Amino acid sequence: MAETPTPPDDDAEIFRLAAAFAVAWEYEKALPDDEDNDDAIEAALAGAKSIVARMIDTPARTLAGVRAKAEALNWCHGGVFEGICPKSAENVSATQWPPTMDLRLADSVLFDLLAIANPASAEGNKP
């Protein structure tokens, strides 16, 4: 009997990775931030980075899957996503200022996805 192909709207792998990522991030946030925990913090970061790397390599097929990836982007920014566009001329070379329309649009999409995934994560951060 022929194997049934997975429909393109199946984000099961993204959701599995997102669930593992959520656990890893909660563990990381629960660790006390002091010198005695440097090894544990580094190990937690390595685990989360590994999961995010697999999320990057796994295409999202649904809006929910893209939202899961947006939450991982939020983690990449320390849980306070402030956008990919520079906020001031000091943050970017003169050749990159001002942000191009594509970067501003990407910022807008990412903020919207974060707000859908977790309204508190994007609250007050949108330019």
Side-chain angles (χ1 to χ4, degrees):
M1 177 170 231
E3 189 174 317
T4 305
T6 304
D9 63 327
D10 181 11
D11 273 341
E13 180 63 7
I14 286 286
F15 299 142
R16 187 189 69 71
L17 290 168
F21 170 75
V23 170
W25 193 6
E26 286 303 315
Y27 175 73
E28 177 191 330
K29 290 189 290 188
L31 291 171
D33 189 13
D34 59 46
E35 289 181 17
D36 294 337
N37 282 333
D38 283 350
D39 290 342
I41 291 169
E42 286 301 316
L45 285 171
K49 285 179 186 178
S50 172
I51 295 166
V52 171
R54 292 195 317 260
M55 290 177 82
I56 290 168
D57 292 338
T58 305
R61 302 290 187 221
T62 65
L63 182 56
V66 175
R67 285 194 308 256
K69 285 186 168 189
E71 192 59 28
L73 177 67
N74 194 35
W75 168 82
C76 291
H77 288 264
V80 183
F81 182 71
E82 295 177 324
I84 58 174
C85 292
K87 299 293 187 233
S88 67
E90 304 89 57
N91 293 338
V92 68
S93 71
T95 61
Q96 295 175 311
W97 188 260
T100 58
M101 186 169 288
D102 60 332
L103 287 177
R104 293 189 340 257
L105 181 59
D107 245 4
S108 176
V109 169
L110 292 170
F111 276 112
D112 292 346
L113 287 169
L114 284 170
I116 291 168
N118 180 2
S121 70
E123 190 173 298
N125 289 334
K126 194 166 185 178

